[in-house]
């Protein structure tokens, strides 16, 4: 890992569990939609056609999807992350049910504004990994994914076709986001990495 210096170091990750049981199937009813739909068949960070487009409808309001997790612990830190690529919309919002939102500019790769600890990491194929971290205040926490027209608000009148591309959502009981753990119908735990 050469991310933080010119000296290489082993990047050994801690054990973690993706609490989202359908991390890629955004068209599944597991993901609750509001003012939006999930359209499949788009190029993912892997290069296959497993990414989705979060398409806004033509209503006035928020255009989003979310998932609630009912096994969180009050006072513990949680991190959510997702791969996102700009479409017709340049801005994307990742947040919690208590409106702790982070606005990401997918054209410039910067965080436009944030009411929560957040991070954006560029990949080489137009995708970014957007992540947030917060402390749970409830035993039931939610991750929200929004389109944004201007990077200032979640609420606007949609045009029925615009959106952003999404892939690989993750929610973990960590104070920082780790590498993506795919799921398909159940939670998945990654064992801690060691070097001998």
């Amino acid at each position: 890992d050469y991310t933080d210096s010119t000296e290489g170091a082993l990047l050994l990750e801690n054990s973690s569990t993706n609490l989202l049981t359908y991390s890629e199937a955004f068209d599944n009813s597991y993901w609750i939609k509001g003012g939006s739909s999930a359209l499949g068949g788009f190029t993912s960070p892997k290069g296959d056609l497993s990414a989705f487009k979060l398409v806004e409808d033509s209503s006035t309001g928020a255009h989003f999807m979310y998932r609630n997790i009912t096994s969180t612990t009050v006072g513990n830190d949680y991190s959510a992350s997702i791969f996102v690529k700009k479409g017709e919309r340049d801005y994307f919002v990742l947040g919690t049910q208590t409106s702790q939102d982070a606005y990401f500019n997918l054209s410039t790769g910067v965080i436009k504004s944030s009411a929560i600890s957040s991070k954006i990491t560029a990949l080489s194929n137009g995708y970014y990994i957007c992540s947030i971290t917060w402390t749970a205040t409830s035993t039931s926490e939610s991750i929200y994914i929004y389109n944004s027209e201007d990077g200032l608000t979640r609420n606007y009148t949609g045009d029925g076709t615009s959106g952003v591309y999404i892939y690989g959502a993750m929610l973990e009981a960590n104070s920082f986001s780790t590498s993506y753990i795919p799921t398909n119908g159940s939670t998945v735990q990654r064992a801690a990495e060691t070097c001998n």
Side-chain angles (χ1 to χ4, degrees), residues 65-66 72-81 92-104 111 113-119 130-138 140-146 152 154 171:
M65 67 174 65
Y66 78 95
T72 52
T73 302
V74 174
N76 283 8
D77 288 337
Y78 289 84
S79 294
S81 60
F92 168 77
V93 185
L94 186 59
T96 72
Q97 78 268 26
T98 53
S99 297
Q100 298 180 88
D101 298 331
Y103 287 77
F104 300 91
I111 299 168
S113 65
S114 182
I116 194 170
S117 176
S118 54
K119 183 179 180 180
C130 299
S131 63
I132 57 174
T133 298
W134 74 100
T135 302
T137 57
S138 168
S140 176
E141 295 279 330
S142 299
I143 172 177
Y144 279 80
I145 301 165
Y146 301 87
L152 299 172
R154 301 176 303 188
L171 176 63

Side-chain angles (χ1 to χ4, degrees), residues 56-124:
E56 63 197 40
D57 65 15
S58 57
S59 66
T60 299
H63 308 279
F64 65 97
M65 67 174 65
Y66 78 95
R67 181 61 204 178
N68 179 255
I69 300 295
T70 58
S71 57
T72 52
T73 302
V74 174
N76 283 8
D77 288 337
Y78 289 84
S79 294
S81 60
I82 186 171
F83 297 79
V84 193
K85 182 180 180 180
K86 73 180 294 295
E88 296 81 11
R89 296 303 179 197
D90 291 337
Y91 297 99
F92 168 77
V93 185
L94 186 59
T96 72
Q97 78 268 26
T98 53
S99 297
Q100 298 180 88
D101 298 331
Y103 287 77
F104 300 91
N105 187 325
L106 301 176
S107 287
T108 61
V110 300
I111 299 168
K112 183 171 178 62
S113 65
S114 182
I116 194 170
S117 176
S118 54
K119 183 179 180 180
I120 185 168
T121 303
L123 302 179
S124 59

Side-chain angles (χ1 to χ4, degrees), residues 20-25 28 181-188:
L20 300 172
T21 58
Y22 286 93
S23 64
E24 298 177 17
N28 192 291
I181 304 170
T183 64
N184 185 22
S186 64
T187 61
V188 174

